[in-house]
């Protein structure tokens, strides 16, 4: 009746829910479970298999997270069609807001190389839920009110410890300020540091930050990113009071700023009294060579504002980022912040504090680093296998995205052809202040949210789309 | 051994946890429980009283929320000293960041009339927790990613329905944009609507908003608030492109903008092409007369941007506010928002959606309206009883604060004397663009976070501080 009889090994090191999940997933993949077929309820399955409801629930959650099954309110769980996971995918997208006209005519989406998606499959949901619940216990005044304007002190202490251990950044918690995302952090800097008027910005550089700077009516001076990183010479010639950089993993080109350039940059700051805004957004994910400490760690003269985020290393839905201010700015900044309120919910802060305190965060980062490494390797292999010399890969040493240079081709055509084959890739030109300067042949692939098999299959389809089916 | 033997009535309409809470609270207040005494654990008490653990926990949570007991990690629950609840109070304060020098010498704080505190005692914690947990179920892709840039659609639909029913505002969910607090909403308006350059601002008016406008380098023109509300004539003479108003409850003076003035204001907008920014922050709490629909509800020509927040009607820790844009602006705004990400966590959005969908939100608003009404009445009575003709009360028809005019006295002295008697009150002058224009004799009392008994006792002490102990 229930039709599920997994062979579960209770002594295995693989948790039971995982075994169950693999079993059901295999049933679906092998076609033993049809599209729209209803799965037994948690209660039924728990009675039938003599497993706890929690185990069943965890298995089901993972299946749902990966788009194998779907929960329909008040009716239960149903098997989804295997390939077209399209309805699910946009939910994790940053650009969720779209879904405009014309989309209906396209074939179902098989894979979306949306940058910003992260791995949710191995996300420790159960632990995170527990932290959230524990956040409530005996803390209601703390977690229901406005909370500390800089962010909860204990959480800031955890962040300080983490920064010290993993990025070599020494700072006391009172120089840390939480914000609800990197853009909000940048906005606060623009609002509260009037000395910043002219900002040097990597060209190309992160559109999300450039837009915020521009919308605060700051003057933006594009500073070219050369083969060996930002042109400090061009920065010197600009009249910039501050410069925004991504030294660990230049966005979007992917390079690491070499030590020599780092020194020059700090020297520029010293000589001109300028500020360096270091966005260390995805430094957790580095696949080749030694981890390089943050630029901030080298900054003996304390001229760097350091930005970090939990969007890549934990999950975007935290909407939690932070800045570390130089000592000389922290006091003023704090004073000016006095009429503001903190924009991150104290409840989430408290839960994150518990999660970090108990070591779950570092464990999670280690685990996801491994899966991203596997995804990254798979992506590179597939590209070499399928496309060989016809493309160049740009910025593949770390992070959750890379650029492809599809020699002699044009990105609009590439994006459209890919879509016709059910694969969404992106034109990166929005990250150039002068979009015409973006080489036409570049496309951007974010791979954080895609599993290896899907990556591998998708690159096969991309090859078809781009090289085989040319009409 | 356990020393707790409450007489609980299982048939009573008063829930068991409440009975238990009242009992323990009384034990503490009557001195039967000493400071630092350890309370039995949830498990012990549950076995002893034959009550569910949940019941015990709820009772304990309420005691903690009210500052009667304290949870110490890994050791248990302890009775707090009754009077000095000082350590607890700042946690709910907006101005948590303070705690500067000199505070140690002061007597323990008995009551903090901090504006921004809300009622947490009757907060439906258990239901809210359940909504949060339910938000996880089978929705991980939706609640772990970035989410929709405007905010979750179903939540916006709930907000639209609520606005229609309670404020007479008709709008489709796609004109609603979520933000992590009113200040972030204002910041987004400044960033994305370049047509706003000169903003008329109520004088006096909400400092939190004024600061944000100023920090976006907009020109602010103070528009006097007269006895019958904003001077639309002064607004006409200004070159403002937009005006920020609090029609339902002028902040901080407390008046309601009369219908005639509302019409004039909309006429101004029509004639000059100006925008009205209506901040409807606490309209849920009105104690005299009929509720008055939002200004937006009268605005046939659609020139009003409506702002709402969950900070007063639900809890500050949501960090969730929203704006309703006029049709003519919504498209542009959405397009410009395209490179931004939503700053409210999708997890909290989903939980709030569930909470609203099941009617808990409206129920909560109704309940808290009643308790605020009681607190408000108590405060007014106590003021009349203790201070009689020596003070005037300003803006007492609605909301969670009022101003006192302590005739012939000076606010710095009043604030300090109050502090010496363990009561914190505030000088409202920061809400004047020209603080010298604030009458010296004004002090501001926020009463949202204080229970009736404490309000009543505190006003007695204030009277002592201000009128009896003069040296
Ligand atoms: C360069 C850069 N910084 C920061 C972020 C993260 O932004 P947030 O903290 O708002 O999620 C991203 C992600 O899109 C990014 O590419
Ligand atoms: C006039 C006014 N608007 C809005 C708010 C609420 O702000 P938020 O939504 O950031 O909590 C307040 C509260 O302090 C207020 O006084």
């Amino acid at each position: 009746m229930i039709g599920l009889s997994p062979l579960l090994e209770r002594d295995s090191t693989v948790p039971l829910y995982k075994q169950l999940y693999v079993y059901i997933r295999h049933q679906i993949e092998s076609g033993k479970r049809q599209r729209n077929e209803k799965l037994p309820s948690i209660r039924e399955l728990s009675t039938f298999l003599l497993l706890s409801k929690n185990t069943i629930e965890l298995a089901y959650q993972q299946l749902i997270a990966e788009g194998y099954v779907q929960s329909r309110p008040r009716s239960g769980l149903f098997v989804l069609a295997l390939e077209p996971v399209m309805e699910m995918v946009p939910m994790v997208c940053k650009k969720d807001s779209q879904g405009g006209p014309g989309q209906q005519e396209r074939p179902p989406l098989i894979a979306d190389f949306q940058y910003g998606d992260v791995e949710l499959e191995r996300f420790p949901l159960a632990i995170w839920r527990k932290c959230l619940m524990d956040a409530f216990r005996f803390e209601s005044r703390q977690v229901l009110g406005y909370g500390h304007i800089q962010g909860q002190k204990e959480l800031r202490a955890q962040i300080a410890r983490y920064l010290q251990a993993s990025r070599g950044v020494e700072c006391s918690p009172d120089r840390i300020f939480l914000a609800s995302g990197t853009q909000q952090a940048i906005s606060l800097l623009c609002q509260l540091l009037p000395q910043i008027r002219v900002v040097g910005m990597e060209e190309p550089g992160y559109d999300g930050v450039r837009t915020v700077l521009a919308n605060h009516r700051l003057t933006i001076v594009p500073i070219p990113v050369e083969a060996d990183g930002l042109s400090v010479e061009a920065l010197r010639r600009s009249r910039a009071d501050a410069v925004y950089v991504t030294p660990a993993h230049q966005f979007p080109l992917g390079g690491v700023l070499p030590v020599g350039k780092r020194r020059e940059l700090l020297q520029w700051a010293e000589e001109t009294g300028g500020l360096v805004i270091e966005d260390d957004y995805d430094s957790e994910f580095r696949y080749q060579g030694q981890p390089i400490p943050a630029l901030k760690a080298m900054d003996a003269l304390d001229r760097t504002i350091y930005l970090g985020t939990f969007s890549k290393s934990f999950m975007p839905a935290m909407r939690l980022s932070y800045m570390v201010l130089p000592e000389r700015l922290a006091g003023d900044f704090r004073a000016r912040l006095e009429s503001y309120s903190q924009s991150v919910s104290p409840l989430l802060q408290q839960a994150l504090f518990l999660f970090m305190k108990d070591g779950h965060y570092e464990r999670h980062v280690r685990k996801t680093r491994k899966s991203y490494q596997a995804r990254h390797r798979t992506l590179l292999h597939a590209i070499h296998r399928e496309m060989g010399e016809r493309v160049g890969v740009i910025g593949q040493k770390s992070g959750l995205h890379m650029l492809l240079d599809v020699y002699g081709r044009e990105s609009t055509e590439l994006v459209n052809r890919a879509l016709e084959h059910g694969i969404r890739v992106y034109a990166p030109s929005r990250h150039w202040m002068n979009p015409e300067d973006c080489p036409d042949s570049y496309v951007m692939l974010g791979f954080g949210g895609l599993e290896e098999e899907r990556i591998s299959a998708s690159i096969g389809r991309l090859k078809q789309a781009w090289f085989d089916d040319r009409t």
Side-chain angles (χ1 to χ4, degrees), chain A residues 238-253:
Chain A
S238 77
R239 302 162 303 111
D241 326 298
V243 61
Y244 167 85
V245 284
T246 47
H249 186 221
Q250 205 281 324
F251 188 89
L253 295 181

Side-chain angles (χ1 to χ4, degrees), chain A residues 177-430:
Chain A
F177 297 79
L178 303 194
S180 51
T182 301
Q183 294 183 307
Q184 217 240 340
I186 294 281
S187 172
L188 284 175
L189 293 176
C190 294
Q191 290 179 54
L192 300 180
L193 297 178
Q195 61 267 57
I196 305 183
R197 289 149 194 265
V198 179
V199 184
M201 167 97 200
E202 294 170 330
E203 173 73 349
Y206 181 41
D207 169 53
V209 164
R210 191 190 303 107
T211 307
V212 174
L213 295 171
N215 285 339
H216 283 81
R217 321 286 187 268
L218 300 192
T219 305
I220 300 173
V221 187
I223 311 289
V225 175
E226 301 164 341
D228 65 341
L230 190 82
S231 163
V232 180
E233 227 188 311
L235 178 61
R236 283 191 184 284
R237 285 193 306 266
S238 77
R239 302 162 303 111
D241 326 298
V243 61
Y244 167 85
V245 284
T246 47
H249 186 221
Q250 205 281 324
F251 188 89
L253 295 181
V256 177
L257 195 66
V259 164
K261 279 279 172 92
R262 290 176 183 232
R263 282 216 195 85
E264 284 179 44
L265 196 55
L266 293 174
Q267 215 171 335
W268 164 84
E270 187 192 341
E271 288 168 19
T272 63
L275 280 169
V276 177
I277 303 171
E278 173 181 28
D279 183 358
D280 203 34
Y281 63 111
D282 71 354
S283 61
E284 282 85 358
F285 307 118
R286 186 164 168 73
Y287 314 119
Q288 284 173 32
Q290 287 303 300
I292 296 171
L295 175 62
K296 174 89 185 157
M298 282 178 63
D299 176 21
L301 293 167
D302 204 20
R303 300 222 59 99
T304 303
I305 297 173
Y306 176 94
L307 302 182
T309 176
F310 284 89
S311 293
K312 311 289 163 202
S313 59
F314 191 51
M315 59 172 174
M318 281 307 287
R319 307 316 301 122
L320 203 159
S321 67
Y322 51 90
M323 27 193 169
V324 181
L325 286 192
E327 188 65 46
R328 75 160 67 75
L329 297 180
D332 258 12
F333 192 84
R334 207 176 294 114
R336 293 204 188 106
L337 201 63
E338 203 256 341
S339 348
Y340 282 65
S341 49
Q342 174 53 241
S343 65
V344 180
S345 168
L347 178 63
L348 292 180
Q349 293 181 45
Q350 172 74 9
L352 183 59
F353 159 67
L354 294 173
F355 192 83
M356 292 184 85
K357 176 177 74 72
D358 292 339
H360 300 302
Y361 177 66
E362 287 179 61
R363 214 166 298 135
H364 179 62
V365 167
R366 273 199 302 277
K367 263 202 302 189
T368 46
R369 185 185 292 125
K370 276 203 197 124
S371 25
Y372 288 137
Q373 194 148 33
R375 290 174 184 198
H376 175 262
R377 199 185 310 120
T378 305
L379 178 57
L380 281 183
H381 283 177
I383 291 169
H384 288 305
R385 185 183 67 225
E386 303 285 349
M387 305 186 182
E389 304 294 298
R390 295 192 273 198
V391 302
V393 180
I394 297 162
Q396 75 272 43
K397 282 190 191 155
S398 65
L400 305 178
H401 78 277
M402 52 185 75
L403 296 182
L404 280 191
D405 185 352
V406 189
Y407 302 133
R409 303 290 288 277
E410 193 273 309
S411 65
T412 319
E413 184 221 346
L414 294 167
V415 168
N416 284 332
R417 278 180 177 275
L419 263 185
E420 282 159 19
H421 285 70
I423 310 287
R424 187 172 282 160
V425 297
Y426 294 82
S429 58
R430 66 187 300 157

Side-chain angles (χ1 to χ4, degrees), chain A residues 450-464:
Chain A
L450 295 174
E451 294 200 296
E452 285 149 73
E453 307 87 84
R454 194 165 292 184
I455 289 176
S456 197
S458 306
I459 297 297
R461 286 187 83 110
L462 269 187
K463 180 219 168 203
Q464 263 187 15

